[in-house]
Amino acid sequence: MTRPLVVTDCDEVLLHMVRHFRDWLGEDHGIEFRLEGDPFVQSMTRQGSGDIVAEDDVWRLLQGFFDTEFDRQTEIEGAAAAMAELKREADVVVLTNLLDRYRDGRAQQLLTHGIELPVFTNQGPKGEALRRIVEQYGANRVVFIDDIAKHHESAAEVLPNVSRLHFCGEPAVAPHIPCALKAGHAHARLDTWAEALPWVLETLHGTRP
């Protein structure tokens, strides 16, 4: 019998990212990054002048962070234990929006936090990548976990029968991002693993109301 499948994002779901990106920007690039808003658009200003960092520079800086700063990232509380518990019940994989060349580094990064999972990389909306993973594993019961509302919208369009959990484990960001549950694209919004793990397990077991 095919096992259920959990497909989870990494940044702000398994590992903190934006808080460490903020610190790196201030220390190495003289940029202030305000977390109280959209994480990447019009949230970065140059120290001293207050000029907004151009969007092209934002994405260049983000890539620079992943080139050199994987070691900065810390575990979202309870993530490693939650993944270990879920692996007893289901196949669990990571679907992360990084360039393909970062795949092995991301897998090794997670392993240093006690999280040993297959890693799939993607660029852009995640619906089609999710579909390919589900087809590869042949799972009938699937839970998708991500912190970005647009990925839940994409998943809902491509695979409407997948259970979708909107999860953002960064408290400085969570209240400010668009909510996929409110938009009707997720089945739940939970931002701690203490709350999310029971929901995922109940979904996998088919016992959630």
Side-chain angles (χ1 to χ4, degrees):
M1 183 176 178
T2 303
R3 301 185 83 202
L5 175 66
V6 176
V7 181
T8 180
D9 187 27
C10 179
D11 296 317
E12 315 313 341
V13 177
L14 303 179
L15 302 179
H16 289 285
M17 191 282 284
V18 291
R19 62 174 59 183
H20 304 298
F21 184 46
R22 174 199 60 195
D23 294 345
W24 176 73
L25 287 173
E27 294 165 9
D28 290 10
H29 296 278
I31 292 172
E32 181 181 359
F33 178 22
R34 301 183 309 279
L35 300 185
E36 300 83 6
D38 188 308
F40 297 112
V41 180
Q42 297 184 340
S43 294
M44 300 179 199
T45 55
R46 299 196 181 276
Q47 295 170 359
S49 70
D51 292 340
I52 294 175
V53 177
E55 188 168 346
D56 286 348
D57 289 336
V58 170
W59 296 114
R60 178 183 56 77
L61 287 162
L62 185 63
Q63 183 171 318
F65 177 83
F66 288 122
D67 280 338
T68 62
E69 306 302 315
F70 268 156
D71 290 347
R72 282 184 180 253
Q73 292 188 249
T74 53
E75 179 196 353
I76 299 285
E77 184 176 0
M83 294 305 103
E85 180 67 22
L86 290 176
K87 285 170 68 175
R88 297 188 184 99
E89 308 290 335
D91 291 321
V92 184
V93 305
V94 173
L95 175 58
T96 183
N97 258 21
L98 290 178
L99 297 174
D100 295 341
R101 63 188 175 90
Y102 295 117
R103 183 184 64 82
D104 292 345
R106 172 120 287 177
Q108 183 58 42
Q109 176 196 42
L110 286 166
L111 193 58
T112 65
H113 295 281
I115 301 172
E116 185 174 5
L117 298 174
V119 173
F120 294 83
T121 49
N122 179 69
Q123 298 84 48
K126 290 186 176 180
E128 287 299 326
L130 177 63
R131 179 186 58 77
R132 291 192 293 271
I133 294 169
V134 172
E135 289 177 352
Q136 177 178 329
Y137 279 80
N140 294 318
R141 183 167 292 165
V142 182
V143 175
F144 173 64
I145 307 168
D146 205 284
D147 67 312
I148 303 296
K150 70 178 182 181
H151 295 318
H152 288 283
E153 181 179 6
S154 176
E157 290 174 354
V158 176
L159 291 174
N161 293 329
V162 166
S163 297
R164 298 175 299 278
L165 170 61
H166 191 176
F167 181 111
C168 181
E170 175 49 67
V173 169
H176 307 288
I177 58 175
C179 179
L181 177 62
K182 290 181 180 178
H185 299 136
H187 297 97
R189 171 68 188 270
L190 301 165
D191 292 333
T192 69
W193 279 110
E195 296 175 302
L197 179 59
W199 186 93
V200 176
L201 289 171
E202 289 170 5
T203 301
L204 294 175
H205 294 154
T207 58
R208 180 173 56 82

